[in-house]
Each structure stands twice: as C-alpha cells, then as structure tokens.
C-alpha cells in the first residue's frame, strides 16, 4: 500500500506482521495489540524498530506505559465514518507525549487528510499513488 509521509510518497520500510506470522529479523515490524500483550518480552528483546497497530476500539491508554518502546503507532479506520482514531491520535500526542510516527490505515480518504494531520497523524497509508496530489491540495 502506498505511504504518504513528509509530504511525499515513500516506500514503506515497515512490515505488518499478522497474528501467527513469523517475525522477520532486523526489519521494522508492526504488531497488533493482542500480539504485543502475548509476546511482549520476546518483542522487546528482538532488536529492530517496533510499531503497534491499534483497532478503532482500542485506546491509547492500552499502550501508554509502553509507548517509549514503539517508534510508530498505526491507527486503523475501519470505515470513513468511524472517527475514533482521530481522538486516539490526539491523545497520543497531547496526553502521552508520543513523538514517533502516528500512521492512519484503513479507510483513509483524501477529504480527511487535513483533519487527520491536525489531530497528529504524520503518515498515511493510501489506496493509490493518485492520493499524493490530493494530499498537496489539502495541505
């Protein structure tokens, strides 16, 4: 999936690891909250950048004590009318002081880029490379 970050289209270095998938060595990985809870100790000691993916019904409070372990938090929009990730992004930045990447995933629509950015998102998984032009117009 194309990634917009720093106002441009980038190759995504992160590997999203499914629940039962083997974890690649040395690569930046994104794991679910459930996998983090189940394999916390081994993930901490594996080395390499670590990111976490939160579903819309999961809270920033669920990871607050471990935020210093993550370089990236991916927040999922299951549908464009579900705005819970906006609040989570804002809380990550303002309440918890998270300075790493906050990524929007799922139903990321160009009409919402500016609102997402204002809430603290700084990376966006988009459906197509055509979204870059819309990003520039929004900004």
């Amino acid at each position: 999936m194309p990634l917009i970050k720093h106002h441009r289209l980038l190759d995504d270095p992160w590997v999203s690891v499914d629940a039962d998938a083997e974890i690649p060595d040395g690569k930046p990985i994104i794991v679910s909250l459930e996998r983090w809870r189940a394999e916390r100790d081994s993930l901490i000691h594996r080395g390499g950048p670590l990111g976490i993916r939160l579903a819309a019904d999961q809270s920033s409070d669920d990871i607050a004590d471990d935020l210093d372990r993550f370089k990236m938090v991916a927040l999922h929009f299951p549908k464009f009318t579900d705005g819970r990730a906006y609040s989570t992004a804002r809380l990550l930045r303002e309440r918890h002081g998270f300075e790493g990447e906050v990524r929007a995933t799922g139903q990321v629509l160009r009409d919402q880029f500016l609102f997402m950015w204002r809430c603290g998102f700084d990376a966006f998984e988009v459906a197509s490379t055509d979204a870059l032009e819309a990003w520039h117009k929004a900004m």
Side-chain angles (χ1 to χ4, degrees):
M1 181 132 326
L3 180 70
I4 295 176
K5 186 173 179 180
H6 304 299
H7 309 287
R8 56 192 165 123
L9 215 53
L10 299 175
D11 290 329
D12 189 359
W14 292 88
V15 176
S16 190
V17 181
D18 292 331
D20 297 329
E22 187 174 326
I23 294 178
D25 288 332
K27 293 188 179 187
I29 61 166
I30 307 168
V31 297
S32 67
L33 177 61
E34 295 78 15
R35 187 153 190 183
W36 170 249
R37 287 177 173 163
E39 300 176 33
R40 183 180 184 276
D41 290 338
S42 63
L43 289 168
I44 288 170
H45 294 99
R46 77 174 265 285
L50 182 61
I52 191 160
R53 179 178 52 255
L54 296 181
D57 63 345
Q58 295 170 328
S59 168
S60 60
D61 292 337
D62 293 334
I63 59 170
D65 292 339
D66 289 317
L67 269 177
D68 60 328
R69 302 201 181 273
F70 303 115
K71 299 285 186 205
M72 188 262 284
V73 178
L75 303 176
H76 188 69
F77 287 87
K79 51 187 173 178
F80 76 92
T81 58
D82 188 333
R84 293 176 285 182
Y86 288 103
S87 299
T88 304
R90 177 74 88 191
L91 291 170
L92 282 167
R93 297 291 191 206
E94 293 180 4
R95 180 185 293 169
H96 302 296
F98 184 67
E99 294 180 2
E101 177 180 313
V102 177
R103 178 181 294 199
T105 69
Q107 293 292 311
V108 178
L109 301 181
R110 66 182 188 186
D111 294 346
Q112 297 172 328
F113 282 153
L114 188 57
F115 301 116
M116 290 178 181
W117 184 74
R118 286 179 177 167
C119 288
F121 289 95
D122 59 353
F124 310 84
E125 286 184 8
V126 293
S128 74
T129 57
D130 296 343
L132 185 59
E133 183 179 332
W135 167 260
H136 287 294
K137 285 180 182 178
M139 298 313 286

